Amino acid sequence: MTEDPFVVHRNLLFTVAYEMLGSSADAEDVLQESWLRWADVDRAQVRDPRAYLVRTVTRQALNRLRTLSRSREEYVGEWLPEPLLTSPDVAEDIELAENVSIAMLTVLETLGPTERAVFVLREVFEVPYGEIAEAVGKSAAAVRQIARRAREHVAARRPRVPVSRSEQQAVVERFLAALRTGRLQELLDVMAPDVVLIADGGGLAGAARAPIHGAALVASMLALPGRAVSAVWLNGAPAGRIEIDGRVAAVSLVVEDGKVTRIHAIANPRKLTRLDEPAELAR
């Protein structure tokens, strides 16, 4: 017996759903809903199981995204994507690593549901416009227009200059070393003057409820002793895991010109359930 196409493509399907939702828990729910629909399908009528399953997952993720929009508007403080522990191998696929990064997922949050679906399917997974049109219920011409607008929107908000993996890793290591020592000047040296710290506690963990701007203020908040700081790979990039007084936070950094320009700190315990076993991402 050949393996079920859903099982064969599960990592891809999870990655599509996660890219659209920014939450592994919601992505897993979408996969469960999609599996139930796939189980009722006459497989003999499906010419391309991979394309069919991607369309199914996209539709379910769109439905979930629309129902989540209100709860995210009512979220306590800043909402950040759920970090995933990944192996360094994910970074070998540069495009995948860039598109599943916390920074990119944060940008995708500023798109509408349909725009996000179109962008993810076209730019990340290179799905043909005709197939995207079937998945989102639009004409191919409309999808092309949506894709163009989404690309422009994302391009205006993503980091200005791509950073090599080696530079990213070197700057992250410097930042984590400064966190371990708690020395103010070491933190100031590794951050850009206009650095921004965005923290997500979800009302369940102590976190600033609005972005913190400026190296002096950010460094004064971070320069605290008694933290256990370790290097991890999150969403295909070097990052940090911080523990203090039994509480855990995941820290993802945006690096530009050799300096940290943006810090995403996720402390909401409900979003830290995928930090013990690497997620399998694929495209």
Side-chain angles (χ1 to χ4, degrees):
M1 292 181 63
T2 57
E3 196 167 12
D4 189 288
F6 193 98
V7 176
V8 172
H9 299 299
R10 192 186 191 286
N11 292 342
L12 163 69
L13 301 176
F14 173 83
T15 308
V16 170
Y18 175 72
E19 274 269 343
M20 287 185 59
L21 297 165
S23 162
S24 67
D26 290 317
E28 292 289 0
D29 287 345
V30 162
L31 258 62
Q32 180 64 26
E33 293 161 2
S34 300
W35 165 255
L36 293 175
R37 283 162 175 74
W38 174 246
D40 288 336
V41 168
D42 180 358
R43 311 292 171 84
Q45 302 301 314
V46 179
R47 290 178 296 177
D48 185 343
R50 181 182 185 276
Y52 183 93
L53 288 167
V54 168
R55 287 197 301 272
T56 300
V57 166
T58 299
R59 290 174 186 141
Q60 296 306 312
L62 267 173
N63 291 339
R64 177 61 61 97
L65 195 56
R66 287 164 180 151
T67 61
L68 288 172
S69 60
R70 173 166 293 185
S71 64
R72 291 187 181 177
E73 289 173 3
E74 298 171 349
Y75 193 78
V76 177
E78 296 289 317
W79 189 96
L80 289 175
E82 179 180 349
L84 297 178
L85 184 68
T86 54
S87 73
D89 293 343
V90 173
E92 299 297 334
D93 186 336
I94 296 173
E95 288 188 15
L96 176 62
E98 179 182 355
N99 283 296
V100 299
S101 70
I102 296 295
M104 175 59 82
L105 293 173
T106 303
V107 171
L108 293 183
E109 279 294 307
T110 64
L111 294 171
T114 301
E115 286 180 315
R116 184 166 183 168
V118 170
F119 180 88
V120 167
L121 293 179
R122 183 61 188 171
E123 300 302 314
V124 183
F125 299 99
E126 301 177 344
V127 175
Y129 286 112
E131 291 184 21
I132 300 173
E134 287 186 55
V136 302
K138 303 281 186 181
S139 69
V143 164
R144 288 178 183 274
Q145 290 297 316
I146 293 169
R148 179 184 58 78
R149 291 197 304 269
R151 278 195 301 271
E152 292 172 354
H153 180 96
V154 170
R157 290 161 177 80
R158 74 199 321 172
R160 295 184 298 275
V161 181
V163 177
S164 69
R165 174 176 169 179
S166 59
E167 180 182 354
Q168 174 87 12
Q169 192 160 7
V171 175
V172 170
E173 287 173 356
R174 284 181 59 205
F175 179 83
L176 296 179
L179 276 185
R180 288 188 192 99
T181 64
R183 292 174 183 166
L184 186 65
Q185 189 57 52
E186 291 180 7
L187 282 166
L188 289 171
D189 289 343
V190 76
M191 294 190 299
D194 58 350
V195 65
V196 180
L197 167 64
I198 302 173
D200 177 349
L204 301 174
R209 295 192 178 185
I212 306 298
H213 296 262
L217 188 53
V218 171
S220 67
M221 294 185 65
L222 296 179
L224 298 171
R227 291 176 171 172
V229 180
S230 56
V232 293
W233 285 81
L234 299 178
N235 295 63
R241 174 183 175 131
I242 302 171
E243 297 185 39
I244 183 168
D245 296 332
R247 300 189 302 273
V248 177
V251 177
S252 175
L253 307 174
V254 176
V255 173
E256 298 179 66
D257 298 323
K259 300 281 188 177
V260 175
T261 59
R262 189 167 291 258
I263 304 166
H264 295 112
I266 301 103
N268 183 342
R270 293 178 180 171
K271 295 186 177 183
L272 301 176
T273 62
R274 297 293 295 263
L275 298 185
D276 295 320
E277 182 178 352
E280 299 292 336
L281 303 177
R283 71 186 180 109

